[in-house]
Amino acid sequence: MKLYLVKEEGRRVWVAALAHEMMYSYVANTGKFHANNALRNDFYAERWFTYEDIGPAEARRLIQAGVGTLDETDHATALQKWRSDPDPQDPSDVLSMAAGHNP
């Protein structure tokens, strides 16, 4: 698993994790990582965002700083989908896997 800081025009947007060609983004509003197909498509094809390799310690710091917080009004539909996600990923598990440990 690889971790990335995803930026848009220099603004920190997501802490993301790539595992088996699946991209997950940390959504601060839910406190979990969620599958993010749009981000996956961007990573592999579109490249509207920039992706900076980071380690688990930096990812934890960015999460604690609030990276991945979405406006509840502007992103109501996406947040509703992520809140009903049947398989969210716990940040401690994701960061542990990225560090090479089994959760």
Side-chain angles (χ1 to χ4, degrees):
M1 179 174 295
K2 292 191 72 168
L3 297 170
Y4 297 95
L5 170 59
V6 182
K7 295 180 179 179
E8 181 180 33
E9 299 177 0
R11 184 177 62 87
R12 301 178 306 182
V13 180
W14 298 112
V15 173
L18 179 66
H20 308 292
E21 296 187 10
M22 187 66 171
M23 185 68 81
Y24 298 87
S25 57
Y26 177 77
V27 180
N29 306 64
T30 67
K32 303 283 185 183
F33 278 86
H34 300 276
N36 187 328
N37 196 49
L39 194 59
R40 178 196 176 279
N41 292 344
D42 184 76
F43 181 80
Y44 284 110
E46 297 163 355
R47 288 294 178 148
W48 292 102
F49 297 111
T50 57
Y51 297 82
E52 177 183 316
D53 286 323
I54 59 173
E58 179 67 2
R60 184 172 284 108
R61 187 187 71 72
L62 292 164
I63 286 169
Q64 290 172 346
V67 173
T69 302
L70 300 176
D71 180 276
E72 293 282 341
T73 302
D74 292 344
H75 300 282
T77 301
L79 287 168
Q80 179 181 11
K81 181 185 98 173
W82 282 322
R83 285 188 173 114
S84 65
D85 182 354
D87 192 30
Q89 305 298 309
D90 189 84
S92 61
D93 293 342
V94 171
L95 299 179
S96 180
M97 286 186 279
H101 305 107
N102 291 325

